[in-house]
Amino acid sequence: MTPLPDRYCPTDGVRIPGASLAWCCPSCHGPLDLDFAPTPAPLKSLTGRVNSLWRYAETLPLAAPTVSLGEGRTPLAPLTDEISAKLDYLMPTLSFKDRGAVLLAELALRAEPRRVVADSSGNAGTSVAAYCARGRLPCTVYVPLGTATKKLEQIEAHGARVEVVDGGREAAAAAARRAADAPDTFYASHVYNPYFLHGTKTYVHELWEDLGGRLPDVLVLPVGNGTLLLGAALAIAELYGAGLLDRRPALWAVQAAAVAPLAEAFAQGADDLTGTTAVSPTLAEGIAIPRPPRARQILRAVRDSGGTFLTVTEDQIRHAQLDLASRGLFVESTGVACWAAVREGALAGKSAVVPLCGAGLKSGLARA
């Protein structure tokens, strides 16, 4: 078996051996990155490969998957002449989080822990639970109070233990981190573990292939913890560095106006979060993250791409969900945020792709 690449702290450079169960930097306690710089395969060489995200094997830090459910290769559907939607809710667990969760489960299998723990507002926990079930790995998922009942049922159906934490998303994450410090425990964190980002980057590799070796002018991406955006940035760097792209798209990050710490920091020209952000209830619960641990990386990725931040109101989210449903696409309220941000002309003629990240069946129709 190929040795696992080292992880390292992007803040202070501390290195962690690839096989270690350590989940954060021992010095600053921040998230880790992966010492892995792949070269993607040329477009023509992809013909005839497996029809899942594993067709991009050269770009993935793990090979020979044993827990795959056929994730990836989701379709594109036009919404306007300039904007297409990538239907990432058509995944095995009905959300884009399967892209990263499959790599976390594969990594956990190699570590052979006594148990796996995760934290989530619903979708990431469901994905981790499903892939742990596939790999026969015992799993506990910490979720905040108020998590959608349908998501809890889905997690439990996969055999995972659900721990409901009295508090919000940050309280659930803190409880999972405490559990992760126990011996022989694998923390399947979609925020701290860089393998998750190397799974989500396949979103862009698929776009690049389906668009014939190019990308649109703009990638519009939802941002809470930023795992899809940071994965997209990784893929763009890989493709551009290999000479497989002649230009890099701008990254437009979307947050709910009710919880928009990154949008506020960006507007102020800051390199990191600027302080305590006002937090209100939002329909976009999956991106309602007041203090994302990878804030500096997210802000830098958006700026380096020539992109920007957009925010959407609760009314915009409701209207966007109904609009997509009227087009035959029933998407959960968090998953419509990007369409809400650009459907009324914000792109000014630029070509763009928006992700539809989670199925509407997971939480139902947003109500006033």
Side-chain angles (χ1 to χ4, degrees):
M1 187 178 294
T2 304
L4 297 171
D6 285 351
R7 288 163 291 153
Y8 67 93
C9 176
T11 300
D12 55 30
V14 171
R15 298 184 72 83
I16 307 292
S20 170
L21 286 173
W23 57 268
C24 68
C25 174
S27 176
C28 70
H29 307 293
L32 301 171
D33 284 346
L34 199 62
D35 189 4
F36 179 64
T39 299
L43 194 62
K44 291 181 179 179
S45 71
L46 299 176
T47 303
R49 292 192 181 190
V50 62
N51 193 37
S52 72
L53 64 79
W54 296 95
R55 70 196 280 112
Y56 312 106
E58 292 87 349
T59 72
L60 298 174
L62 296 170
T66 60
V67 299
S68 176
L69 292 165
E71 55 287 330
R73 301 298 294 144
T74 54
L76 278 174
L79 296 176
T80 70
D81 290 342
E82 293 84 22
I83 307 172
S84 292
K86 188 160 175 59
L87 311 189
D88 249 28
Y89 67 90
L90 298 179
M91 287 277 199
T93 76
L94 307 182
S95 92
F96 88 96
K97 296 290 177 62
D98 291 357
R99 294 185 182 277
V102 66
L103 265 74
L104 294 184
E106 285 291 338
L107 183 61
L109 279 175
R110 287 156 172 76
E112 299 182 332
R114 182 175 56 85
R115 67 168 179 163
V116 175
V117 299
D119 59 274
S120 171
S121 59
N123 285 340
T126 297
S127 291
V128 170
Y131 286 98
C132 282
R134 188 76 165 175
R136 300 291 187 266
L137 292 163
C139 178
T140 301
V141 181
Y142 293 80
V143 300
L145 190 67
T147 298
T149 300
K150 292 179 181 179
K151 293 181 179 180
L152 297 179
E153 290 175 352
Q154 194 178 6
I155 293 170
E156 290 176 329
H158 292 306
R161 175 183 172 187
V162 173
E163 290 282 353
V164 179
V165 178
D166 186 9
R169 183 67 186 82
E170 289 189 317
R177 291 195 292 268
R178 288 193 294 271
D181 287 332
D184 204 22
T185 299
F186 180 91
Y187 183 21
S189 172
H190 59 291
V191 181
Y192 282 81
N193 195 310
Y195 279 79
F196 196 91
L197 305 182
H198 284 270
T200 61
K201 75 182 181 184
T202 58
Y203 172 89
V204 166
H205 283 288
E206 290 177 18
L207 281 179
W208 171 78
E209 181 182 1
D210 289 341
L211 294 174
R214 61 181 181 85
L215 290 173
D217 299 324
V218 177
L219 292 177
V220 189
L221 300 158
V223 173
N225 279 310
T227 56
L228 185 54
L229 185 140
L230 291 173
L234 279 173
I236 292 165
E238 291 169 4
L239 291 165
Y240 189 79
L244 298 173
L245 277 178
D246 58 6
R247 59 173 180 80
R248 289 183 267 200
L251 301 177
W252 286 18
V254 178
Q255 296 206 286
V259 187
L262 291 160
E264 292 175 15
F266 185 86
Q268 295 176 33
D271 295 329
D272 204 345
L273 301 179
T274 54
T276 303
T277 299
V279 175
S280 301
T282 177
L283 296 166
E285 60 190 16
I287 54 173
I289 309 297
R291 298 180 60 80
R294 293 187 184 269
R296 293 181 67 88
Q297 290 176 278
I298 296 165
L299 290 163
R300 184 170 60 249
V302 173
R303 285 201 178 94
D304 288 351
S305 76
T308 191
F309 274 81
L310 303 173
T311 60
V312 292
T313 66
E314 301 304 290
D315 280 345
Q316 285 178 302
I317 291 170
R318 290 188 191 93
H319 294 155
Q321 188 184 39
L322 290 171
D323 179 65
L324 286 172
S326 74
R327 300 165 185 257
L329 304 168
F330 187 32
V331 183
E332 68 174 341
S333 49
T334 298
V336 307
C338 291
W339 177 234
V342 300
R343 74 186 187 98
E344 295 181 350
L347 286 158
K350 296 181 176 70
S351 63
V353 172
V354 299
L356 304 184
C357 295
L361 295 174
K362 282 175 168 281
S363 52
L365 195 63
R367 304 289 183 181

